[in-house]
Amino acid sequence: GIAVDLNPPVLAAGRVQWPLKWVDFDNLRFDPHAAVLSVDAETLEVEILDDSRSSVTSVLRATNSGDTLVFSDNMCGYLNLFGEAAGKTTPESVLRVRAGGGFDAGYQVDLRAATGSPAVYGGWFLSDDAMLVRVWDPDVDPASVLTEPGDFWSAEEFVSMMLVDLQSGTAERFDVPPKGGAGSTGDLTEVDGKTYISVYHDEGGQTDMFAVTPEGAEPAFSTLGDVLFM
């Protein structure tokens, strides 16, 4: 199991916050809560915040208002298709931790409902109001093409991009980057207001990098091999 996620912490409203998760990969089990480790930057007081509306926390974003946006890990979708909780897991979501407080019970963007997909592979916050997510193609039934759990990660042709409006909770297709790269969601890389994402294809033989904003995307460069964490 993994107790503390590998993704970086954020500083929001005087508190350093880390995403927390616990996953038993061998037996496809997990802790069904979203969780954040919150530490007061001055007093070092430690608090664990949790919310049962989602699970397997991965990525945080500190907003301009001092809140923290909380995004589910790609294991949520995987565990919704395989394992003892298949078909019964809480949805991948964006939740919000209020500045200096706990989870906001009145805010949730259900990414499965927004995208129509049974599984979200991961994503990137493009702003406080927009997120790009990589999802299983909503038009394809996973049961019709997946026979083994490991096939989920290599099914490049069934991975699509969608842009999510975090205010309205709606999503639309974002088809400029090609399909592919199921595992290539990683830490945020932002330069000059553009978020750089990687999409690998040809069974990991090539990775294409794209510069993305809520308005669109443009190719940046390509490299051989699979660049997972970009």
Side-chain angles (χ1 to χ4, degrees):
I2 299 176
V4 180
D5 203 334
L6 301 178
N7 284 328
V10 299
L11 177 64
R15 301 189 72 87
V16 181
Q17 296 174 325
W18 281 268
L20 294 180
K21 68 178 181 182
W22 180 87
V23 175
D24 177 353
F25 294 95
D26 293 334
N27 298 296
L28 300 180
R29 298 182 301 127
F30 63 102
D31 177 44
H33 295 84
V36 173
L37 176 67
S38 181
V39 181
D40 188 290
E42 292 188 2
T43 67
L44 302 184
E45 171 200 11
V46 176
E47 185 177 8
I48 295 179
L49 311 173
D50 72 288
D51 193 306
S52 61
R53 293 175 295 166
S54 191
S55 56
V56 197
T57 307
S58 182
V59 178
L60 306 181
R61 176 184 174 89
T63 70
N64 291 329
S65 62
D67 296 335
T68 300
L69 297 178
V70 179
F71 173 54
S72 306
D73 187 79
N74 57 12
M75 288 301 297
C76 283
Y78 179 72
L79 294 166
N80 188 50
L81 299 178
F82 304 100
E84 62 184 33
K88 300 178 289 185
T89 64
T90 54
E92 298 92 322
S93 300
V94 176
L95 305 178
R96 179 168 60 198
V97 173
R98 284 296 192 186
F103 278 94
D104 180 354
Y107 180 87
Q108 179 184 16
V109 178
D110 181 331
L111 295 174
R112 284 187 206 159
T115 64
S117 173
V120 178
Y121 282 100
W124 303 262
F125 287 109
L126 302 181
S127 69
D128 292 351
D129 301 321
M131 185 169 201
L132 182 64
V133 293
R134 180 172 282 142
V135 304
W136 179 269
D137 191 324
D139 296 327
V140 178
D141 179 4
S144 69
V145 293
L146 298 178
T147 57
E148 299 291 337
D151 295 343
F152 178 76
W153 303 111
S154 59
E156 299 172 12
E157 66 271 33
F158 303 114
V159 183
S160 299
M161 297 272 195
M162 301 190 78
L163 186 66
V164 181
D165 184 322
L166 298 178
Q167 294 296 318
S168 66
T170 59
E172 60 184 19
R173 285 189 177 272
F174 194 85
D175 292 327
V176 178
K179 292 185 177 183
S184 57
T185 299
D187 299 342
L188 178 67
T189 301
E190 186 173 352
V191 180
D192 296 332
K194 296 179 179 179
T195 299
Y196 284 78
I197 69 169
S198 64
V199 180
Y200 67 81
H201 49 89
D202 297 335
E203 297 182 352
Q206 179 173 319
T207 299
D208 297 325
M209 309 300 298
F210 292 85
V212 180
T213 68
E215 288 71 43
E218 58 187 23
F221 62 90
S222 298
T223 184
L224 296 178
D226 53 344
V227 180
L228 295 181
F229 302 108
M230 182 71 173

